[in-house]
Structures are given as structure tokens and as C-alpha cells.
Amino acid sequence: MVYDFETLNKTRAGNSAKWDVSNGDLPMTIADMDFPTAPEIVEALQEKISMGLFGYEEIPPEYFKAVADWYEKEHHARPQENWMIFATGVVPAISSAVRRLTSLGDNVLVQAPVYNIFYNSIVNSGRHVVSNDLVYDGKTRSYSIDFTDLEEKLSDPLTNMMILCNPHNPVGKIWTKSELEKIASLCLKYDVKLFSDEIHGDITFNENGYNPIFGLDSKYLDNVVVAVSPSKTFNVAAMHAATIIVPNVNLRAQVSRGLNSEELAEPNFVAIPGTIAAYTKGGPWLKALKEQLLKNRQLVLDFIEEKIPQLKWVPGQATYLLWFDISEITDDADKLAQFIKDDSGLIINPGSVYRGDGQHFIRMNIASPQSMIQDGLNRLEKSLNDYQQ
């Protein structure tokens, strides 16, 4: 089947968080795609709607089997079906786990620069953010983990949870199996719960994909909670469906109590059929999507090399989000992003919202038709030239 990755559906404006912008503005920000989702998912949802029955839903065994089959086929790691809990989203599950697995005033560790909503889940729950900042090498434009600093911060008695982004948003890093084992072993050593957000795991461009943490040896898994979802993979965030994978039975009971007491474990009427369709029929669409994203990325890289070489891509092999080093232009990402928006209407994410060294970076979403990306690149070139005059 031939899939359409070139038609920009502008009618979504007005009811889309990403496209809630002024006329003439071009958002390349929120991690939504501007592509229609897989037709196989649309067909499943239409079939569900045609039934005309929208009562309370339960989670059938077919749902958990679809998740397990997908991860076995796509990522060569099969989670046991009895490890799984349905949740209405990854972020709600993170917030619930923070509240259930830690106490008021505890520290929750992240690795900045990282997805900014992690901070909200921590602070809004009355906990403190502690960061094991990723170490950036400007020469190789790559990030690594300072494990000495990580151990020091995990050893603090007040640090009782770590939120890992695997693969990492916004820097596009795929953690190696060895790195994940070191992280998991340190969390076990200091009795820190490890929550791994793996929502971007399907969008990878290396040969072997990413490493689900539940695929590690069982000796690493007693403190592990993993969240997965089809939302980023298939552009179905509003379906509100995620799966929480917890190998340890006692920890799973704690997580499940948290989700259920906060009413976060009951699906809406499209969550189950949509997820099952995604994981059982969406493989060909995903393959085509990744081919399109590689073309989009090359379009961007060729353009900046020729037109705006002072902008430096930080090579990443995951997500449809590009992370650019702007240190040759400015050390104030907020000021630059605001200038670009005012100057050309292009909206990109200033890296400062992800904390750490983010003030030296911007993030751009390239999951859009190439005509839109070219428009965004032209605007970016104009604004950077204007900014440096």
C-alpha cells in the first residue's frame, strides 16, 4: 500500500494544540505528526464507532497480547502479558507513579536536558527535581552520562525515583544495553525506583533499534516500571492509551493501585481497538513513515549545510525531533526562538525549557510534509540572517 505523507490537513487548526497559532505562523514544535495515521487504525476506529455503543470498556486479553507481540517482533524483547497494566497515557502514569512510589519532599532524578513535562509531574506532586545532567561534547556533538555524578545523586537517601527517557527526548540518544544495565544496577543498589518512558522507542533509524529496559536480564528488573504507547509512533496521542509494564509483582500492585485510585486505568471507547490495530496491522505504515522521516531529515541537513552552516545538528538516531546546537549564533535560546517567531512566524522549541544546557539549543519537529518543512527552512534561514545582522 502507498501511504500519504505529503498532504497537510489544515482543517485540524482550531482543535489541535500544535496548530493553535496565529494565521501565518508555522509550528514545528509539539511532538505530533502532521501526517494522517495508518489507514488500518482509522478503519478499526470507524468500525468501532459504527457499532453505536459507547459504554464502559474493559481490557481484553487481545490488547496485552498485541502489545507483547509487537515488542517481540519489532524490538526482540517480549514482556510477559501479566506484567502489563493499561493507563490513559504515559504522562498521567508518570505523575501517578511519582505520587504512589515516593513521598512528599523526596527527590526524583532526571537527566537534563529532558522532556519538560517530567518536571511538571515531579514539582506538581510536591517532590524535588534533581538532575544528573547529560554531558555534552561540543567537538563530537554528542551526549553521555556522568555515572559518577549519577551514583552520587542516587545515593542520597531522599532520592527515591529516577525517570529515564529511553530513547532520549530531545537529544535523540539511544541508550546502549550496557548503559541501561549500569543505570538499573545503580537504582537497585540504592533502592531507587526506575521509571523508563519508552514512548519514542519505535521511531529509530539505527540498525538494531532501541533497547527496551524490560528486555534486560531479570536481575535488573525488580525496581523497574516501563511505559509504552502507540501515540508517538502512529500519531494517536488523543486516543489516550498506554501500557505500563512492571515485572516485579509487588511493585506492579503498587503502581496498579495508584493508577486505579486516580481513575487512570479505564479506557475510552477507541483506545483498545485503536491500539490493537496499531500493533497488529501498523507495521507496514511505520516502515514507510521511517523512510519518509529519513528523507525529511536529509532535506533539513542538506539545507542547513548549504544555507545556515552555523546551525549544528546533534546527531541522534531516534525520534522525529532534531536537536540543534546554536552556540555559534547565541547563548540565549529563548531570545532566539522568540525572534524567529516574530520575524518569520516559524515556531520552534527553545532548548531552555528542557533545562540542563538547553539554552544553547533549539528543537525542531520534522514529522511533516516536505513542502511544510521547506517552508520552515526558508523561514529559519531568513530569521537567522536577520538575527545576525
Side-chain angles (χ1 to χ4, degrees), residues 88-99 115 117-118 120-121 195 197 199 227 242 244 264:
T88 56
V90 170
V91 169
I94 292 173
S95 297
S96 175
V98 168
R99 290 187 288 269
Y115 179 48
I117 304 304
F118 286 179
N120 297 351
S121 294
F195 194 111
D197 174 358
I199 199 169
I244 313 307
L264 298 173

Side-chain angles (χ1 to χ4, degrees), residues 39-319:
E40 295 84 355
I41 297 175
V42 176
E43 182 180 355
L45 300 190
Q46 289 173 332
E47 181 179 346
K48 178 71 173 181
I49 291 169
S50 70
M51 294 173 61
L53 299 170
F54 311 123
Y56 296 110
E57 297 268 323
E58 293 185 340
I59 318 296
E62 292 81 7
Y63 173 91
F64 298 118
K65 182 178 186 303
V67 177
D69 287 349
W70 175 263
Y71 277 84
E72 181 177 36
K73 179 182 177 182
E74 294 291 323
H75 305 294
H76 313 294
R78 185 181 184 89
Q80 294 183 25
E81 292 166 43
N82 64 357
W83 291 355
M84 300 181 194
I85 311 165
F86 176 86
T88 56
V90 170
V91 169
I94 292 173
S95 297
S96 175
V98 168
R99 290 187 288 269
R100 176 60 57 163
L101 303 179
T102 69
S103 301
L104 284 170
D106 278 358
N107 297 334
V108 179
L109 185 143
V110 298
Q111 293 176 304
V114 74
Y115 179 48
N116 53 304
I117 304 304
F118 286 179
Y119 303 114
N120 297 351
S121 294
I122 298 167
V123 174
N124 291 347
S125 299
R127 278 65 171 173
H128 301 295
V129 174
V130 171
S131 182
N132 164 234
D133 285 4
L134 298 179
V135 179
Y136 180 65
D137 185 331
K139 293 181 179 179
T140 61
R141 298 201 300 277
S142 62
Y143 282 91
S144 61
I145 297 172
D146 181 343
F147 279 99
T148 301
D149 179 72
L150 176 61
E151 179 164 13
E152 180 182 339
K153 287 171 178 171
L154 289 175
S155 69
D156 185 333
L158 288 177
T159 301
N160 286 306
M161 187 175 188
M162 174 179 177
I163 304 176
L164 175 70
C165 202
N166 176 40
H168 192 91
N169 169 24
V171 309
K173 180 88 172 181
I174 296 176
W175 302 117
T176 66
K177 182 179 179 182
S178 175
E179 288 168 328
L180 293 175
E181 288 173 345
K182 290 175 73 173
I183 292 168
S185 63
L186 287 173
C187 286
L188 280 170
K189 180 178 180 179
Y190 296 107
D191 194 24
V192 173
K193 303 298 188 293
L194 176 58
F195 194 111
S196 185
D197 174 358
E198 305 192 355
I199 199 169
H200 290 281
D202 292 322
I203 309 295
T204 58
F205 306 104
N206 60 333
E207 183 177 352
N208 297 317
Y210 95 111
N211 300 289
I213 204 165
F214 57 76
L216 299 181
D217 188 280
S218 59
K219 67 183 180 181
Y220 296 107
L221 301 183
D222 277 349
N223 282 13
V224 166
V225 180
V226 179
V228 300
S229 171
S231 65
K232 299 302 180 195
T233 309
F234 295 100
N235 204 32
V236 290
M239 212 161 66
H240 295 294
T243 306
I244 313 307
I245 301 169
V246 193
N248 181 279
V249 61
N250 293 325
L251 182 58
R252 189 184 325 130
Q254 290 179 272
V255 172
S256 180
R257 281 197 296 272
L259 291 170
N260 280 280
S261 66
E262 297 178 16
E263 310 298 342
L264 298 173
E266 183 174 307
N268 65 61
F269 74 101
V270 295
I272 301 305
T275 300
I276 292 174
Y279 285 151
T280 60
K281 300 178 181 179
W285 184 88
L286 176 60
K287 180 180 178 182
L289 169 72
K290 290 165 75 171
E291 291 172 355
Q292 183 63 47
L293 292 173
L294 281 174
K295 293 176 184 176
N296 289 3
R297 188 174 76 180
Q298 196 59 51
L299 171 66
V300 173
L301 298 183
D302 289 346
F303 184 94
I304 65 171
E305 181 180 13
E306 178 183 356
K307 303 286 189 180
I308 40 179
Q310 66 272 39
L311 194 65
K312 305 296 185 182
W313 177 51
V314 177
Q317 291 301 319
T319 83

Side-chain angles (χ1 to χ4, degrees), residues 11-21 27 30 32-34:
T11 61
R12 65 182 302 192
N15 198 39
S16 162
K18 180 179 180 181
W19 284 91
D20 184 18
V21 297
I30 296 173
D32 274 354
M33 301 186 212
D34 292 306

